[in-house]
Structures are given as C-alpha cells and as structure tokens.
Amino acid sequence: PPVAPPALDSSFAARPRSRTVGAVDYTGVTSADPERLRDWVERVRNRIRDARDERLTLRDSFDRFRAECSWVRSTEVSVFDGYEDYLFECDDDAKWVERIAQAFEDAGSGRLTDLALTLGTATATEAFPLITDAKLTPEQVALAWAALEKNPHVDTDALLKRYAQQLGQLDGLPALVRVQANRYRVPALLSLVKRELEQVRSGDLDGGEERVRFLRHELAYLSRALLPVDEGGVQLYLYDRAGSRIVEMLGTPGPETVRSVTYVPGTFTGLDSFYTGAVQQIGRHLVSNLPDTVAFVYKDGIFPGEERASAGSNPIRIMEANDQDLARTAGARLAGFDEGIRADPALNSVSRIGIGHSWGLANLTSSEVAGAEYDTVISLSGAGMLPDWKPGRRTGYFDLSYNDILQAAQRDGRVWDGNFPRNNRGFTSLPYYEGPEDDELRGKSLLDTYDVLRVATKNHSLIAQDTEANKKALQDLVKLVKA
C-alpha cells in the first residue's frame, strides 16, 4: 500500500512582555544600581547575538532537511517568525532596562517613585492617563512630568497639543508648560467666541449690547495669547470661562527668578476685568520694577458681586464679600493653586508673596487657613480674615490703604466681625495714604454727601492702580516685595 507522507508542524510564538512598574497607586519608591542594570543589559545583548547565530543554523538545517526529504509535507511553519519576534522582545527588554538605568542615574540617588519610573519608560498613550490621575498630588505631577520629559519615546509638545484642555488646568505642571498648553487651546476658543458673538448680534442668543461688549473684549484678550510676550502677549496659566476661572502669568520663570507673587483682586472682579487689563496693574508694575519677579494674577471661581454674563458688576451682591463660607471655599482652591506653584522646579525655592486687594485679602488669608504658606502677605485695603486665621510664624504681614469706603465700614464694625488688617496685631499697618480728593472726607461721615461716598469709593480702587496718584503706595509696595 502507498505510504502517506508525514506532515511537519513547527510552530512557535513569542510570549508578550509587560513592561510596567506594576504598582497600583504609584506612591512606592523603587531603588536600583544603574551599573548593575547595564551589566545585565550587556549580558542579554550578548545572548541575543548568540541566539541569532543559532537561528541561522536552525534555518539552514531545516532548509537542508526539506531539500533532502522533499516528500515530507509542511503544514504550519511559524517557528522562525516566532523566533525573530522572541529576539525582538528580548532586545526591547534590554532597551527598557537601559532606559530604567538612565532614569535612576538622572535621579542621582538610585531611588525613584514608581510613577516617575513608569513615565520615564512609557509611551505617550500610556503616559497621559497616568499623569492626569486625580490621585496624584501637584508634587507627584511635577515629578511625573520631569520623568516624561526625559523619556525619548514621548514628544511632550505633541502631548500638550493633543491634551491641551486637560493639561492646561493640571496643578503641578511647570508654569511655562501650562501656558503652552493653554496657548494651543486659543484658536478653538476664539472660534467659539466668534460664533457666540454672531448669535448674540443676530438675536439667537440673549445678552444684548452688554454681552456683545464682553465678547469683543474676550476676543481681543485671547488673540493676544497667541503673541510673544515681548509683543504684548498674554500668558494664560489657567483659563475656563464657564467656571469663571482665569490666572494670568506675568514674567518668565527661570534661573534668575527670586520671587513669585500671587495677586488676588477684589470684590466685583469678573473675567472682563482681566480682558481690559484692570486687575493686572499691580502685577505688571512689580514685574516691570523687579524683573526677577514672576506674578500670577489669580481668579478661580465667582467673586463677590461678579456679573458673569456681561462686562458689568452687581452691586446688590456686595455682602457676598462678607460671607465667611464663600471665603473659606475660595481659600481652599487658592491653597491648591499655591501647592501647584511650589511644585514648579523654577519656583519651588523662591520667595512667595501674596497680595490681596479688598476681598482678595480674605481669599488670600483663607488659603493660609487651608494650608498655604507665604513669606510675605500684603493687604491693599484688605477686607478681613476668618476667625480661625492666625498669622504665620515666619510670615510678614502689612497693610497699605487710603481712607476709603471699606475702611469706613470696618471702623463702623460692619464687616468681618472686626477681624480686619488694621484691627489685628498680626499686621503692620502703614499710615493712610493721601488721596487726590481727600479734602472731601475731612470731618465727614461716610454717608454725609454723595461726594464723600464717591471719593471714598475711588480711594478704594486707587490702591490697586498703577497711576501717578498712587505713586507713593506703589513705591512702598515695591520695597516690601523686594525686602
């Protein structure tokens, strides 16, 4: 009888490797000796070279066998492709461990957090969900980003473009990185504003001329976010119109930076106050006179009396500036912002100065209750402090004011239960500055005449303005910030 030829089945597939740290919360610390890791890499590569020679020998033997035994049928012959895949996997292991060795060498101490180690060897797709994990502290985010920047397999600029919305709001990323992420968002933001402006003009959306004016200001402001700083460009550290959140950075963090200023404007501050440049005056003056300064003009959430949908304000809501619960909530957000700034390698060792105008001082001191720390806190006619606020043991506190409408209300016991800068021993209060129309105030009570009310209100705004009339206060402010 005829003999059925045997079938030859030679199959092999390389086992996939998982190259991750394997930690769940990434809070652990891993240690290694880079030199020993590199010794391992060298041994593996030597064995890979030997294995490639063995593969050639095996292939040659297989081909000769089939040539001499042509009657043998071949069904599945995947062993050689599988062998090559196996060698590629081994080579990738060697490359991965080599990157780990470099990561530990860069760390300098042979110890890295598991997250930093993972990001130092991850792909861009793997990196994004790790770095935006809500469980990470700003300090962990900063370490993670530093590891990512050293990863040769990740284009961090491309990552910023792709995930600009999320990374532009991520506390812990370096300030310049966040500014770049928000710059990538601007073209899409401009398109949305233009579309809304057309709809308001056509009557398809409510708002009228007030909303039109607001949107025009927003368009002009956001357009400047595309310009270089030396051409009047705006640096957006944070921008979220829906949440009324905006932080503008003035100056450039770097090796020459010696201080970081957080300036919190006061009651009635809205987004339009940023669009028109009204609340950046103090920050700009300080950065202009002290070039080694970086200033953040801060607003995170609705401020007392703010009118969200227009360029105006709502005086009826003035008593929100006396709401302790509102200040406490706002203070917690500001403390989170402060933690993010401290995580920036360019800013983590500089002097930290907080300046608050009017209700902004309540926001600022409430952030101290929530854990923020400043080297100096300066009140510009500040509103008041929470009852559980205590001056920091290493912090200097100063109040600069004119005789204004808030000072009169404080003297009458109408705000913050009497706990305000000029009535608290934690603050050093400089003598009142003389306003250009102070003659109207002499010997008169706050409600005597309309002119008294007008001048007292103007004085309250004057302390936060970069004008000739406020020159003496600005000079003292620069000295306090520089000290």
Side-chain angles (χ1 to χ4, degrees):
V3 177
L8 184 62
D9 180 3
S10 58
S11 61
F12 172 71
R15 177 173 56 83
R17 318 290 174 87
S18 177
R19 301 181 184 91
T20 61
V21 172
V24 176
D25 59 6
Y26 297 101
T27 58
V29 175
T30 301
S31 62
D33 182 340
E35 185 176 346
R36 293 179 64 186
L37 290 175
R38 288 198 170 96
D39 286 344
W40 182 90
V41 169
E42 186 60 31
R43 291 198 305 274
V44 167
R45 285 183 170 155
N46 287 335
R47 292 186 180 186
I48 290 172
R49 283 191 288 270
D50 293 341
R52 290 196 186 282
D53 292 339
E54 294 294 341
R55 181 188 180 281
L56 292 175
T57 301
L58 179 61
R59 182 81 212 200
D60 182 61
S61 299
F62 182 77
D63 289 344
R64 281 190 291 107
F65 171 77
R66 288 204 302 178
E68 296 173 7
C69 303
S70 57
W71 54 277
V72 174
R73 292 183 299 111
S74 296
T75 53
E76 180 182 359
V77 184
S78 62
V79 65
F80 299 107
D81 288 341
Y83 200 146
E84 194 62 32
D85 289 342
Y86 168 72
L87 295 178
F88 275 122
E89 289 283 356
C90 290
D91 191 52
D92 280 347
D93 278 345
K95 291 177 180 176
W96 183 57
V97 173
E98 191 169 44
R99 292 200 302 272
I100 292 173
Q102 186 63 50
F104 278 110
E105 203 163 73
D106 291 340
S109 63
R111 293 168 62 84
L112 283 176
T113 64
D114 291 344
L115 178 64
L117 180 57
T118 299
L119 287 168
T121 58
T123 65
T125 304
E126 295 165 342
F128 175 71
L130 292 174
I131 202 169
T132 55
D133 188 333
K135 297 177 183 177
L136 298 184
T137 65
E139 184 178 6
Q140 289 172 326
V141 169
L143 292 171
W145 185 260
L148 205 58
E149 287 185 315
K150 294 175 181 176
N151 185 338
H153 300 278
V154 176
D155 182 343
T156 51
D157 192 58
L159 197 68
L160 286 178
K161 286 182 181 178
R162 183 175 179 183
Y163 301 109
Q165 174 73 23
Q166 298 92 327
L167 296 177
Q169 302 183 45
L170 185 60
D171 284 338
L173 286 188
L176 288 174
V177 172
R178 282 185 58 161
V179 167
Q180 184 61 46
N182 284 308
R183 184 175 289 119
Y184 285 138
R185 296 176 55 211
V186 169
L189 293 172
L190 287 171
S191 296
L192 290 173
V193 177
K194 289 175 183 176
R195 189 179 308 128
E196 183 179 350
L197 181 58
E198 291 173 0
Q199 291 175 319
V200 175
R201 281 173 170 167
S202 67
D204 292 336
L205 285 178
D206 294 334
E209 284 304 311
E210 271 294 302
R211 186 63 174 174
V212 167
R213 183 159 65 97
F214 175 89
L215 293 171
R216 283 176 174 168
H217 290 169
E218 184 179 17
L219 275 177
Y221 181 77
L222 289 177
S223 296
R224 289 174 52 213
L226 295 173
L227 297 176
V229 175
D230 56 4
E231 295 179 18
V234 168
Q235 299 181 98
L236 290 173
Y237 181 87
L238 171 68
Y239 191 76
D240 173 17
R241 191 227 280 176
S244 197
R245 308 172 70 214
I246 181 170
V247 178
E248 182 178 335
M249 183 175 76
L250 304 169
T252 305
E256 305 301 318
T257 303
V258 300
R259 67 185 65 82
S260 171
V261 172
T262 298
Y263 174 75
V264 189
T267 313
F268 303 128
T269 296
L271 293 174
D272 194 69
S273 306
F274 283 79
Y275 301 159
T276 59
V279 294
Q280 294 95 321
Q281 295 180 64
I282 292 297
R284 286 194 182 123
H285 184 85
L286 291 174
V287 171
S288 175
N289 285 271
L290 301 170
D292 48 6
T293 301
V294 172
F296 295 89
V297 185
Y298 172 94
K299 169 180 163 54
D300 192 345
I302 300 297
F303 271 34
E306 175 186 353
E307 190 63 58
R308 297 183 61 178
S310 73
S313 59
N314 189 344
I316 296 176
R317 289 174 34 221
I318 182 67
M319 289 310 296
E320 291 176 357
N322 206 29
D323 187 330
Q324 294 186 6
D325 289 337
L326 176 65
R328 194 177 295 275
T329 300
R333 286 196 296 270
L334 180 51
F337 164 83
D338 182 65
E339 189 179 358
I341 294 298
R342 288 183 179 276
D344 188 331
L347 299 172
N348 62 6
S349 60
V350 303
S351 296
R352 295 281 294 120
I353 296 152
I355 302 175
H357 173 229
S358 189
W359 181 82
L361 189 275
N363 192 351
L364 195 67
T365 53
S366 296
S367 76
E368 292 184 284
V369 174
E373 295 181 357
Y374 306 93
D375 296 293
T376 304
V377 169
I378 300 173
S379 159
L380 301 182
S381 192
M385 296 82 74
L386 293 170
D388 48 335
W389 173 85
K390 294 180 180 178
R393 295 170 66 181
R394 296 183 178 87
T395 307
Y397 295 88
F398 304 91
D399 178 76
L400 285 63
S401 303
Y402 290 87
N403 187 11
D404 63 23
I405 189 169
L406 178 60
Q407 301 294 314
Q410 288 172 338
R411 289 193 296 269
D412 289 347
R414 303 185 187 191
V415 294
W416 285 92
D417 296 328
N419 192 18
F420 54 88
R422 288 185 178 263
N423 200 34
N424 189 295
R425 296 176 63 183
F427 278 82
T428 298
S429 296
L430 278 65
Y432 280 136
Y433 297 99
E434 188 79 10
E437 299 180 63
D438 271 18
D439 285 345
E440 288 285 350
L441 305 178
R442 304 192 199 288
K444 300 173 183 176
S445 69
L446 181 63
L447 300 178
D448 271 357
T449 66
Y450 168 78
D451 281 339
V452 170
L453 188 60
R454 175 184 60 81
V455 172
T457 302
K458 286 179 67 175
N459 277 357
H460 188 61
S461 299
L462 178 60
I463 192 66
Q465 294 174 354
D466 186 5
T467 62
E468 185 65 26
N470 195 33
K471 182 177 179 180
K472 181 62 172 68
L474 291 173
Q475 289 173 339
D476 289 342
L477 179 63
V478 169
K479 291 177 183 176
L480 289 173
V481 169
K482 187 178 181 179

